[in-house]
Amino acid sequence: MSDAIMTHAAFQPRPDEAGRDATEVASAKEKREFNKLQKRLRRQVGNAIIDYGMIQDGDKVMVCLSGGKDSYTMLEILRSLQRNAPVAFSLVAVNLDQKQPGFPEHVLPEYLESIGVDYQILERDTYSVVKEKTPEGKTTCALCSRLRRGSLYGFAEEIGATKVALGHHREDILETLFLNMFFGGSLKAMPPKLLSDDGKNIVIRPLAYCREADIAEFARQMQFPIIPCNLCGSQPNLQRQVVKEMLAEWEAKHPGRLETMFKAVTNVAPSQLADRELFDFQGLEVKQARQREMRIEAFNEL
């Protein structure tokens, strides 16, 4: 089908038709809540795909699968939408085995084979590089992330993937916004869709509209075989963790604040900031004079 007929409704799930037996009354509420959760995630991912033009007809989407709740959920929701999507696209799950000691190499292949998903395991010993290059007491996240991205982007080219899908959600985007403001001196976050610096890869974040709490609950109910990241998750004094706790406290005290902040990320007013590259502050006098001339001309025509 052509891109012209792609609408928000077209990427949404069809109503569930399955009924329930009378013996399931005790768990009926749980099932209803899960169905609502699943539909909400599918709707949000579908809307993000349409809003940012993430997936086109014929795309081969490389789904980066870490073994965490976010990437499992992303893969499952994309598989679900793929069945009813107005465009044809393929999925390939790719896991980067960083040769971290104790990593259960069998978990992801067994799971992916059980659900019939095409997959690839990319082996790169980035763990040793990170441990060697990172001074004692410093966090490994920046270098680890850079090496991981480089490996995955290069592999996407090798397998002919046209899109690289990452599992970042709404809170990830907001945390990055505040990390950049507090520690980087820049006003930027994670865009839902991105062209890599070398122009070779288009990165998409289908979970951009999804709440982390919804993803965590979906992963729990789906009983995904979660693989914890012992390399980064256990590090003390992580700046991202501090920001995460700050945002969680704000949301607890003022429910809905995170949703409002995310809307702000999508509703930027360049003239109300101070970036000289983004807005022509030097040319305001010229603009003012032009508007005055137009008002005078309009008055004379009366």
Side-chain angles (χ1 to χ4, degrees):
M1 294 186 181
S2 70
D3 291 349
I5 64 170
M6 292 175 64
T7 64
H8 287 79
F11 248 107
Q12 301 312 317
R14 294 173 182 171
D16 290 331
E17 298 175 354
R20 61 183 178 85
D21 192 274
T23 59
E24 298 176 334
V25 172
S27 60
K29 183 178 178 182
E30 252 186 49
K31 290 183 178 180
R32 283 198 302 271
E33 290 302 315
F34 176 74
N35 286 337
K36 285 165 58 178
L37 171 62
Q38 185 177 43
K39 288 177 182 178
R40 180 162 64 250
L41 289 171
R42 289 163 67 180
R43 182 179 67 252
Q44 290 169 340
V45 171
N47 286 344
I49 289 173
I50 295 299
D51 286 349
Y52 294 94
M54 291 185 184
I55 298 177
Q56 278 81 40
D57 193 41
D59 269 341
K60 181 177 183 178
V61 182
M62 186 176 99
V63 181
C64 298
L65 196 66
S66 65
K69 68 182 189 314
D70 306 326
S71 58
Y72 274 126
T73 297
M74 174 174 63
L75 175 62
E76 181 62 26
I77 298 299
L78 286 177
R79 289 178 67 227
S80 177
L81 291 177
Q82 184 186 35
R83 292 190 281 270
N84 298 323
V87 295
F89 63 94
S90 61
L91 300 171
V92 55
V94 173
N95 170 252
L96 174 61
D97 181 352
Q98 299 177 266
K99 296 305 173 185
Q100 188 176 331
F103 182 78
E105 298 179 359
H106 65 286
V107 171
L108 283 171
E110 287 179 2
Y111 172 74
L112 293 169
E113 286 171 10
S114 73
I115 62 174
V117 169
D118 183 23
Y119 73 93
Q120 299 272 357
I121 304 296
L122 174 61
E123 297 186 2
R124 296 285 189 275
D125 189 5
T126 61
Y127 176 84
S128 297
V129 177
V130 169
K131 299 302 287 184
E132 178 186 344
K133 300 293 184 182
T134 304
E136 189 68 29
K138 298 292 184 180
T139 58
T140 61
C141 296
L143 178 59
C144 180
S145 177
R146 192 159 60 247
L147 292 174
R148 191 168 61 245
R149 278 199 308 271
S151 298
L152 290 169
Y153 289 1
F155 192 63
E157 284 190 88
E158 287 183 32
I159 64 175
T162 54
K163 301 288 170 59
V164 178
L166 303 179
H168 298 119
H169 48 68
R170 184 191 69 176
E171 277 84 342
D172 286 326
I173 293 173
L174 289 175
E175 288 163 18
T176 302
L177 172 69
F178 282 94
L179 281 168
N180 283 319
M181 283 198 293
F182 292 166
F183 305 105
S186 61
L187 190 60
K188 64 179 182 179
M190 292 175 171
K193 187 178 181 181
L194 171 74
L195 180 65
S196 61
D197 291 340
D198 60 10
K200 295 180 179 179
N201 300 100
I202 292 181
V203 178
I204 60 175
R205 295 183 168 98
L207 300 181
Y209 290 171
C210 301
R211 297 169 61 244
E212 183 175 17
D214 283 348
I215 293 170
E217 178 60 17
F218 183 76
R220 185 188 72 80
Q221 299 239 24
M222 290 293 294
Q223 298 183 337
F224 294 134
I226 303 297
I227 303 173
C229 177
N230 297 321
L231 177 60
C232 61
S234 59
Q235 296 177 92
N237 303 320
L238 283 179
Q239 293 171 342
R240 181 173 289 274
Q241 186 60 35
V242 173
V243 171
K244 178 186 285 289
E245 292 169 1
M246 179 191 75
L247 295 180
E249 183 179 349
W250 285 357
E251 182 68 12
K253 289 183 178 179
H254 307 281
R257 176 167 286 188
L258 295 190
E259 184 64 28
T260 302
M261 288 193 295
F262 185 78
K263 286 181 180 177
V265 175
T266 69
N267 185 26
V268 179
S271 65
Q272 306 303 303
L273 298 173
D275 190 330
R276 299 189 303 276
E277 297 295 324
L278 201 60
F279 186 78
D280 182 18
F281 294 99
Q282 295 283 358
L284 285 179
E285 286 80 5
V286 174
K287 184 178 180 180
Q288 181 189 43
R290 190 181 306 121
Q291 289 179 346
R292 283 177 176 171
E293 289 175 6
M294 292 174 64
R295 285 198 296 268
I296 292 171
E297 290 176 3
F299 178 78
N300 292 335
E301 290 177 0
L302 294 177

PDB file of all heavy atoms in Angstrom, residues 165-197:
ATOM      1  N   ALA A 165      15.704   0.215  15.428  1.00  0.00           N
ATOM      2  CA  ALA A 165      14.726   0.529  16.473  1.00  0.00           C
ATOM      3  C   ALA A 165      15.339   0.334  17.857  1.00  0.00           C
ATOM      4  O   ALA A 165      15.848  -0.746  18.179  1.00  0.00           O
ATOM      5  CB  ALA A 165      13.487  -0.356  16.317  1.00  0.00           C
ATOM      6  N   LEU A 166      15.281   1.397  18.661  1.00  0.00           N
ATOM      7  CA  LEU A 166      15.773   1.360  20.041  1.00  0.00           C
ATOM      8  C   LEU A 166      14.596   1.474  21.007  1.00  0.00           C
ATOM      9  O   LEU A 166      13.595   2.121  20.703  1.00  0.00           O
ATOM     10  CB  LEU A 166      16.760   2.505  20.281  1.00  0.00           C
ATOM     11  CG  LEU A 166      17.981   2.569  19.354  1.00  0.00           C
ATOM     12  CD1 LEU A 166      18.861   3.772  19.708  1.00  0.00           C
ATOM     13  CD2 LEU A 166      18.787   1.274  19.421  1.00  0.00           C
ATOM     14  N   GLY A 167      14.745   0.902  22.186  1.00  0.00           N
ATOM     15  CA  GLY A 167      13.627   0.795  23.117  1.00  0.00           C
ATOM     16  C   GLY A 167      13.501   1.909  24.135  1.00  0.00           C
ATOM     17  O   GLY A 167      13.011   1.664  25.236  1.00  0.00           O
ATOM     18  N   HIS A 168      13.906   3.121  23.808  1.00  0.00           N
ATOM     19  CA  HIS A 168      13.782   4.229  24.763  1.00  0.00           C
ATOM     20  C   HIS A 168      12.322   4.676  24.864  1.00  0.00           C
ATOM     21  O   HIS A 168      11.632   4.823  23.863  1.00  0.00           O
ATOM     22  CB  HIS A 168      14.657   5.400  24.333  1.00  0.00           C
ATOM     23  CG  HIS A 168      16.120   5.063  24.295  1.00  0.00           C
ATOM     24  ND1 HIS A 168      16.879   5.121  23.148  1.00  0.00           N
ATOM     25  CD2 HIS A 168      16.953   4.640  25.274  1.00  0.00           C
ATOM     26  CE1 HIS A 168      18.119   4.763  23.409  1.00  0.00           C
ATOM     27  NE2 HIS A 168      18.187   4.459  24.696  1.00  0.00           N
ATOM     28  N   HIS A 169      11.884   4.953  26.085  1.00  0.00           N
ATOM     29  CA  HIS A 169      10.502   5.354  26.338  1.00  0.00           C
ATOM     30  C   HIS A 169      10.435   6.819  26.765  1.00  0.00           C
ATOM     31  O   HIS A 169      11.450   7.533  26.743  1.00  0.00           O
ATOM     32  CB  HIS A 169       9.872   4.450  27.385  1.00  0.00           C
ATOM     33  CG  HIS A 169      10.728   4.239  28.599  1.00  0.00           C
ATOM     34  ND1 HIS A 169      11.011   5.245  29.504  1.00  0.00           N
ATOM     35  CD2 HIS A 169      11.400   3.134  29.049  1.00  0.00           C
ATOM     36  CE1 HIS A 169      11.791   4.777  30.464  1.00  0.00           C
ATOM     37  NE2 HIS A 169      12.045   3.511  30.211  1.00  0.00           N
ATOM     38  N   ARG A 170       9.225   7.251  27.187  1.00  0.00           N
ATOM     39  CA  ARG A 170       9.000   8.651  27.533  1.00  0.00           C
ATOM     40  C   ARG A 170       9.944   9.147  28.622  1.00  0.00           C
ATOM     41  O   ARG A 170      10.547  10.220  28.508  1.00  0.00           O
ATOM     42  CB  ARG A 170       7.551   8.841  27.985  1.00  0.00           C
ATOM     43  CG  ARG A 170       7.159  10.276  28.282  1.00  0.00           C
ATOM     44  CD  ARG A 170       5.811  10.363  28.977  1.00  0.00           C
ATOM     45  NE  ARG A 170       5.876   9.832  30.342  1.00  0.00           N
ATOM     46  CZ  ARG A 170       4.857   9.867  31.194  1.00  0.00           C
ATOM     47  NH1 ARG A 170       3.690  10.334  30.808  1.00  0.00           N
ATOM     48  NH2 ARG A 170       4.986   9.384  32.419  1.00  0.00           N
ATOM     49  N   GLU A 171      10.084   8.364  29.699  1.00  0.00           N
ATOM     50  CA  GLU A 171      10.946   8.783  30.802  1.00  0.00           C
ATOM     51  C   GLU A 171      12.402   8.856  30.383  1.00  0.00           C
ATOM     52  O   GLU A 171      13.151   9.727  30.853  1.00  0.00           O
ATOM     53  CB  GLU A 171      10.775   7.843  31.998  1.00  0.00           C
ATOM     54  CG  GLU A 171       9.577   8.174  32.874  1.00  0.00           C
ATOM     55  CD  GLU A 171       8.279   7.579  32.349  1.00  0.00           C
ATOM     56  OE1 GLU A 171       8.213   7.207  31.152  1.00  0.00           O
ATOM     57  OE2 GLU A 171       7.310   7.499  33.111  1.00  0.00           O
ATOM     58  N   ASP A 172      12.860   7.944  29.518  1.00  0.00           N
ATOM     59  CA  ASP A 172      14.234   8.020  29.013  1.00  0.00           C
ATOM     60  C   ASP A 172      14.483   9.356  28.325  1.00  0.00           C
ATOM     61  O   ASP A 172      15.539   9.978  28.484  1.00  0.00           O
ATOM     62  CB  ASP A 172      14.503   6.886  28.010  1.00  0.00           C
ATOM     63  CG  ASP A 172      14.656   5.536  28.681  1.00  0.00           C
ATOM     64  OD1 ASP A 172      15.184   5.477  29.802  1.00  0.00           O
ATOM     65  OD2 ASP A 172      14.234   4.532  28.082  1.00  0.00           O
ATOM     66  N   ILE A 173      13.501   9.782  27.542  1.00  0.00           N
ATOM     67  CA  ILE A 173      13.624  11.040  26.795  1.00  0.00           C
ATOM     68  C   ILE A 173      13.696  12.224  27.758  1.00  0.00           C
ATOM     69  O   ILE A 173      14.538  13.116  27.606  1.00  0.00           O
ATOM     70  CB  ILE A 173      12.451  11.180  25.807  1.00  0.00           C
ATOM     71  CG1 ILE A 173      12.559  10.107  24.714  1.00  0.00           C
ATOM     72  CG2 ILE A 173      12.414  12.583  25.193  1.00  0.00           C
ATOM     73  CD1 ILE A 173      11.370  10.036  23.790  1.00  0.00           C
ATOM     74  N   LEU A 174      12.835  12.225  28.780  1.00  0.00           N
ATOM     75  CA  LEU A 174      12.828  13.325  29.743  1.00  0.00           C
ATOM     76  C   LEU A 174      14.091  13.325  30.608  1.00  0.00           C
ATOM     77  O   LEU A 174      14.648  14.384  30.915  1.00  0.00           O
ATOM     78  CB  LEU A 174      11.591  13.237  30.627  1.00  0.00           C
ATOM     79  CG  LEU A 174      10.259  13.557  29.941  1.00  0.00           C
ATOM     80  CD1 LEU A 174       9.094  13.310  30.892  1.00  0.00           C
ATOM     81  CD2 LEU A 174      10.240  14.992  29.432  1.00  0.00           C
ATOM     82  N   GLU A 175      14.538  12.136  30.998  1.00  0.00           N
ATOM     83  CA  GLU A 175      15.777  12.057  31.784  1.00  0.00           C
ATOM     84  C   GLU A 175      16.951  12.622  30.995  1.00  0.00           C
ATOM     85  O   GLU A 175      17.798  13.356  31.540  1.00  0.00           O
ATOM     86  CB  GLU A 175      16.053  10.606  32.172  1.00  0.00           C
ATOM     87  CG  GLU A 175      15.116  10.054  33.234  1.00  0.00           C
ATOM     88  CD  GLU A 175      15.132   8.547  33.297  1.00  0.00           C
ATOM     89  OE1 GLU A 175      16.098   7.940  32.762  1.00  0.00           O
ATOM     90  OE2 GLU A 175      14.196   7.947  33.856  1.00  0.00           O
ATOM     91  N   THR A 176      17.009  12.304  29.714  1.00  0.00           N
ATOM     92  CA  THR A 176      18.091  12.805  28.874  1.00  0.00           C
ATOM     93  C   THR A 176      18.018  14.321  28.734  1.00  0.00           C
ATOM     94  O   THR A 176      19.048  15.016  28.722  1.00  0.00           O
ATOM     95  CB  THR A 176      18.034  12.149  27.479  1.00  0.00           C
ATOM     96  OG1 THR A 176      18.112  10.723  27.637  1.00  0.00           O
ATOM     97  CG2 THR A 176      19.185  12.608  26.596  1.00  0.00           C
ATOM     98  N   LEU A 177      16.794  14.850  28.638  1.00  0.00           N
ATOM     99  CA  LEU A 177      16.610  16.298  28.575  1.00  0.00           C
ATOM    100  C   LEU A 177      17.230  16.976  29.793  1.00  0.00           C
ATOM    101  O   LEU A 177      18.002  17.940  29.663  1.00  0.00           O
ATOM    102  CB  LEU A 177      15.112  16.620  28.493  1.00  0.00           C
ATOM    103  CG  LEU A 177      14.728  18.099  28.606  1.00  0.00           C
ATOM    104  CD1 LEU A 177      15.184  18.866  27.373  1.00  0.00           C
ATOM    105  CD2 LEU A 177      13.218  18.248  28.804  1.00  0.00           C
ATOM    106  N   PHE A 178      16.925  16.474  30.986  1.00  0.00           N
ATOM    107  CA  PHE A 178      17.441  17.096  32.201  1.00  0.00           C
ATOM    108  C   PHE A 178      18.928  16.827  32.397  1.00  0.00           C
ATOM    109  O   PHE A 178      19.660  17.683  32.916  1.00  0.00           O
ATOM    110  CB  PHE A 178      16.639  16.619  33.411  1.00  0.00           C
ATOM    111  CG  PHE A 178      15.316  17.320  33.534  1.00  0.00           C
ATOM    112  CD1 PHE A 178      14.165  16.766  33.002  1.00  0.00           C
ATOM    113  CD2 PHE A 178      15.223  18.560  34.159  1.00  0.00           C
ATOM    114  CE1 PHE A 178      12.948  17.417  33.099  1.00  0.00           C
ATOM    115  CE2 PHE A 178      14.003  19.219  34.251  1.00  0.00           C
ATOM    116  CZ  PHE A 178      12.869  18.656  33.715  1.00  0.00           C
ATOM    117  N   LEU A 179      19.403  15.660  32.002  1.00  0.00           N
ATOM    118  CA  LEU A 179      20.842  15.378  32.083  1.00  0.00           C
ATOM    119  C   LEU A 179      21.634  16.368  31.233  1.00  0.00           C
ATOM    120  O   LEU A 179      22.672  16.878  31.657  1.00  0.00           O
ATOM    121  CB  LEU A 179      21.128  13.947  31.620  1.00  0.00           C
ATOM    122  CG  LEU A 179      20.837  12.841  32.637  1.00  0.00           C
ATOM    123  CD1 LEU A 179      20.890  11.480  31.957  1.00  0.00           C
ATOM    124  CD2 LEU A 179      21.834  12.892  33.784  1.00  0.00           C
ATOM    125  N   ASN A 180      21.134  16.639  30.021  1.00  0.00           N
ATOM    126  CA  ASN A 180      21.817  17.587  29.144  1.00  0.00           C
ATOM    127  C   ASN A 180      21.755  19.007  29.692  1.00  0.00           C
ATOM    128  O   ASN A 180      22.712  19.776  29.572  1.00  0.00           O
ATOM    129  CB  ASN A 180      21.220  17.527  27.733  1.00  0.00           C
ATOM    130  CG  ASN A 180      21.700  16.325  26.948  1.00  0.00           C
ATOM    131  OD1 ASN A 180      22.875  15.976  27.002  1.00  0.00           O
ATOM    132  ND2 ASN A 180      20.808  15.676  26.237  1.00  0.00           N
ATOM    133  N   MET A 181      20.640  19.372  30.315  1.00  0.00           N
ATOM    134  CA  MET A 181      20.533  20.710  30.900  1.00  0.00           C
ATOM    135  C   MET A 181      21.430  20.857  32.127  1.00  0.00           C
ATOM    136  O   MET A 181      22.136  21.851  32.278  1.00  0.00           O
ATOM    137  CB  MET A 181      19.076  20.993  31.292  1.00  0.00           C
ATOM    138  CG  MET A 181      18.174  21.339  30.128  1.00  0.00           C
ATOM    139  SD  MET A 181      16.641  22.154  30.665  1.00  0.00           S
ATOM    140  CE  MET A 181      15.849  20.824  31.558  1.00  0.00           C
ATOM    141  N   PHE A 182      21.410  19.852  33.008  1.00  0.00           N
ATOM    142  CA  PHE A 182      22.146  19.942  34.265  1.00  0.00           C
ATOM    143  C   PHE A 182      23.652  19.773  34.081  1.00  0.00           C
ATOM    144  O   PHE A 182      24.439  20.431  34.757  1.00  0.00           O
ATOM    145  CB  PHE A 182      21.651  18.875  35.246  1.00  0.00           C
ATOM    146  CG  PHE A 182      20.249  19.088  35.740  1.00  0.00           C
ATOM    147  CD1 PHE A 182      19.576  18.068  36.386  1.00  0.00           C
ATOM    148  CD2 PHE A 182      19.590  20.293  35.554  1.00  0.00           C
ATOM    149  CE1 PHE A 182      18.278  18.251  36.858  1.00  0.00           C
ATOM    150  CE2 PHE A 182      18.286  20.487  36.002  1.00  0.00           C
ATOM    151  CZ  PHE A 182      17.641  19.458  36.660  1.00  0.00           C
ATOM    152  N   PHE A 183      24.046  18.853  33.198  1.00  0.00           N
ATOM    153  CA  PHE A 183      25.453  18.488  33.106  1.00  0.00           C
ATOM    154  C   PHE A 183      26.103  18.784  31.753  1.00  0.00           C
ATOM    155  O   PHE A 183      27.322  18.781  31.641  1.00  0.00           O
ATOM    156  CB  PHE A 183      25.631  16.997  33.418  1.00  0.00           C
ATOM    157  CG  PHE A 183      25.044  16.595  34.742  1.00  0.00           C
ATOM    158  CD1 PHE A 183      23.845  15.890  34.809  1.00  0.00           C
ATOM    159  CD2 PHE A 183      25.667  16.944  35.930  1.00  0.00           C
ATOM    160  CE1 PHE A 183      23.294  15.519  36.029  1.00  0.00           C
ATOM    161  CE2 PHE A 183      25.123  16.588  37.156  1.00  0.00           C
ATOM    162  CZ  PHE A 183      23.937  15.874  37.209  1.00  0.00           C
ATOM    163  N   GLY A 184      25.287  19.028  30.724  1.00  0.00           N
ATOM    164  CA  GLY A 184      25.850  19.243  29.390  1.00  0.00           C
ATOM    165  C   GLY A 184      25.687  20.659  28.861  1.00  0.00           C
ATOM    166  O   GLY A 184      26.243  21.000  27.824  1.00  0.00           O
ATOM    167  N   GLY A 185      24.892  21.467  29.549  1.00  0.00           N
ATOM    168  CA  GLY A 185      24.699  22.839  29.092  1.00  0.00           C
ATOM    169  C   GLY A 185      24.008  22.948  27.752  1.00  0.00           C
ATOM    170  O   GLY A 185      24.258  23.878  26.984  1.00  0.00           O
ATOM    171  N   SER A 186      23.134  21.999  27.438  1.00  0.00           N
ATOM    172  CA  SER A 186      22.414  22.037  26.162  1.00  0.00           C
ATOM    173  C   SER A 186      20.970  21.617  26.383  1.00  0.00           C
ATOM    174  O   SER A 186      20.660  20.858  27.304  1.00  0.00           O
ATOM    175  CB  SER A 186      23.065  21.117  25.123  1.00  0.00           C
ATOM    176  OG  SER A 186      23.047  19.769  25.566  1.00  0.00           O
ATOM    177  N   LEU A 187      20.091  22.128  25.529  1.00  0.00           N
ATOM    178  CA  LEU A 187      18.669  21.819  25.619  1.00  0.00           C
ATOM    179  C   LEU A 187      18.337  20.806  24.527  1.00  0.00           C
ATOM    180  O   LEU A 187      17.932  21.166  23.419  1.00  0.00           O
ATOM    181  CB  LEU A 187      17.846  23.100  25.441  1.00  0.00           C
ATOM    182  CG  LEU A 187      16.343  23.007  25.751  1.00  0.00           C
ATOM    183  CD1 LEU A 187      16.109  22.602  27.197  1.00  0.00           C
ATOM    184  CD2 LEU A 187      15.675  24.345  25.463  1.00  0.00           C
ATOM    185  N   LYS A 188      18.539  19.540  24.829  1.00  0.00           N
ATOM    186  CA  LYS A 188      18.263  18.484  23.858  1.00  0.00           C
ATOM    187  C   LYS A 188      17.932  17.198  24.596  1.00  0.00           C
ATOM    188  O   LYS A 188      18.311  17.006  25.750  1.00  0.00           O
ATOM    189  CB  LYS A 188      19.445  18.270  22.915  1.00  0.00           C
ATOM    190  CG  LYS A 188      20.718  17.778  23.591  1.00  0.00           C
ATOM    191  CD  LYS A 188      21.825  17.584  22.562  1.00  0.00           C
ATOM    192  CE  LYS A 188      23.091  17.044  23.227  1.00  0.00           C
ATOM    193  NZ  LYS A 188      24.183  16.831  22.249  1.00  0.00           N
ATOM    194  N   ALA A 189      17.193  16.334  23.913  1.00  0.00           N
ATOM    195  CA  ALA A 189      16.794  15.066  24.514  1.00  0.00           C
ATOM    196  C   ALA A 189      17.096  13.937  23.527  1.00  0.00           C
ATOM    197  O   ALA A 189      18.135  13.957  22.869  1.00  0.00           O
ATOM    198  CB  ALA A 189      15.314  15.107  24.883  1.00  0.00           C
ATOM    199  N   MET A 190      16.203  12.969  23.436  1.00  0.00           N
ATOM    200  CA  MET A 190      16.294  11.885  22.453  1.00  0.00           C
ATOM    201  C   MET A 190      15.150  12.059  21.468  1.00  0.00           C
ATOM    202  O   MET A 190      13.986  11.949  21.859  1.00  0.00           O
ATOM    203  CB  MET A 190      16.149  10.513  23.128  1.00  0.00           C
ATOM    204  CG  MET A 190      17.261  10.100  24.036  1.00  0.00           C
ATOM    205  SD  MET A 190      16.812   8.518  24.828  1.00  0.00           S
ATOM    206  CE  MET A 190      18.355   8.082  25.616  1.00  0.00           C
ATOM    207  N   PRO A 191      15.407  12.334  20.211  1.00  0.00           N
ATOM    208  CA  PRO A 191      14.305  12.465  19.254  1.00  0.00           C
ATOM    209  C   PRO A 191      13.689  11.106  18.930  1.00  0.00           C
ATOM    210  O   PRO A 191      14.392  10.089  18.924  1.00  0.00           O
ATOM    211  CB  PRO A 191      14.984  13.068  18.026  1.00  0.00           C
ATOM    212  CG  PRO A 191      16.402  12.591  18.114  1.00  0.00           C
ATOM    213  CD  PRO A 191      16.725  12.544  19.581  1.00  0.00           C
ATOM    214  N   PRO A 192      12.398  11.063  18.661  1.00  0.00           N
ATOM    215  CA  PRO A 192      11.764   9.799  18.279  1.00  0.00           C
ATOM    216  C   PRO A 192      12.335   9.217  16.985  1.00  0.00           C
ATOM    217  O   PRO A 192      12.263   8.007  16.775  1.00  0.00           O
ATOM    218  CB  PRO A 192      10.290  10.179  18.102  1.00  0.00           C
ATOM    219  CG  PRO A 192      10.113  11.372  18.994  1.00  0.00           C
ATOM    220  CD  PRO A 192      11.395  12.137  18.859  1.00  0.00           C
ATOM    221  N   LYS A 193      12.887  10.075  16.145  1.00  0.00           N
ATOM    222  CA  LYS A 193      13.473   9.615  14.892  1.00  0.00           C
ATOM    223  C   LYS A 193      14.735  10.430  14.644  1.00  0.00           C
ATOM    224  O   LYS A 193      14.743  11.645  14.836  1.00  0.00           O
ATOM    225  CB  LYS A 193      12.483   9.812  13.729  1.00  0.00           C
ATOM    226  CG  LYS A 193      12.924   9.225  12.393  1.00  0.00           C
ATOM    227  CD  LYS A 193      11.828   9.440  11.348  1.00  0.00           C
ATOM    228  CE  LYS A 193      12.209   8.857   9.991  1.00  0.00           C
ATOM    229  NZ  LYS A 193      11.138   9.111   8.984  1.00  0.00           N
ATOM    230  N   LEU A 194      15.804   9.759  14.218  1.00  0.00           N
ATOM    231  CA  LEU A 194      17.106  10.409  14.137  1.00  0.00           C
ATOM    232  C   LEU A 194      17.917   9.865  12.962  1.00  0.00           C
ATOM    233  O   LEU A 194      17.924   8.660  12.707  1.00  0.00           O
ATOM    234  CB  LEU A 194      17.877  10.155  15.445  1.00  0.00           C
ATOM    235  CG  LEU A 194      19.345  10.553  15.506  1.00  0.00           C
ATOM    236  CD1 LEU A 194      19.460  12.069  15.599  1.00  0.00           C
ATOM    237  CD2 LEU A 194      20.034   9.898  16.697  1.00  0.00           C
ATOM    238  N   LEU A 195      18.595  10.765  12.267  1.00  0.00           N
ATOM    239  CA  LEU A 195      19.584  10.362  11.261  1.00  0.00           C
ATOM    240  C   LEU A 195      20.942  10.363  11.942  1.00  0.00           C
ATOM    241  O   LEU A 195      21.342  11.360  12.554  1.00  0.00           O
ATOM    242  CB  LEU A 195      19.576  11.337  10.079  1.00  0.00           C
ATOM    243  CG  LEU A 195      20.568  11.041   8.944  1.00  0.00           C
ATOM    244  CD1 LEU A 195      20.232   9.721   8.254  1.00  0.00           C
ATOM    245  CD2 LEU A 195      20.586  12.176   7.927  1.00  0.00           C
ATOM    246  N   SER A 196      21.659   9.246  11.878  1.00  0.00           N
ATOM    247  CA  SER A 196      22.954   9.150  12.543  1.00  0.00           C
ATOM    248  C   SER A 196      23.927  10.174  11.972  1.00  0.00           C
ATOM    249  O   SER A 196      23.764  10.670  10.856  1.00  0.00           O
ATOM    250  CB  SER A 196      23.540   7.737  12.394  1.00  0.00           C
ATOM    251  OG  SER A 196      23.733   7.411  11.025  1.00  0.00           O
ATOM    252  N   ASP A 197      24.944  10.505  12.744  1.00  0.00           N
ATOM    253  CA  ASP A 197      25.886  11.562  12.363  1.00  0.00           C
ATOM    254  C   ASP A 197      26.533  11.307  11.002  1.00  0.00           C
ATOM    255  O   ASP A 197      26.792  12.245  10.250  1.00  0.00           O
ATOM    256  CB  ASP A 197      26.983  11.703  13.429  1.00  0.00           C
ATOM    257  CG  ASP A 197      26.440  12.268  14.732  1.00  0.00           C
ATOM    258  OD1 ASP A 197      25.360  12.898  14.702  1.00  0.00           O
ATOM    259  OD2 ASP A 197      27.091  12.083  15.782  1.00  0.00           O
TER     260      ASP A 197
END
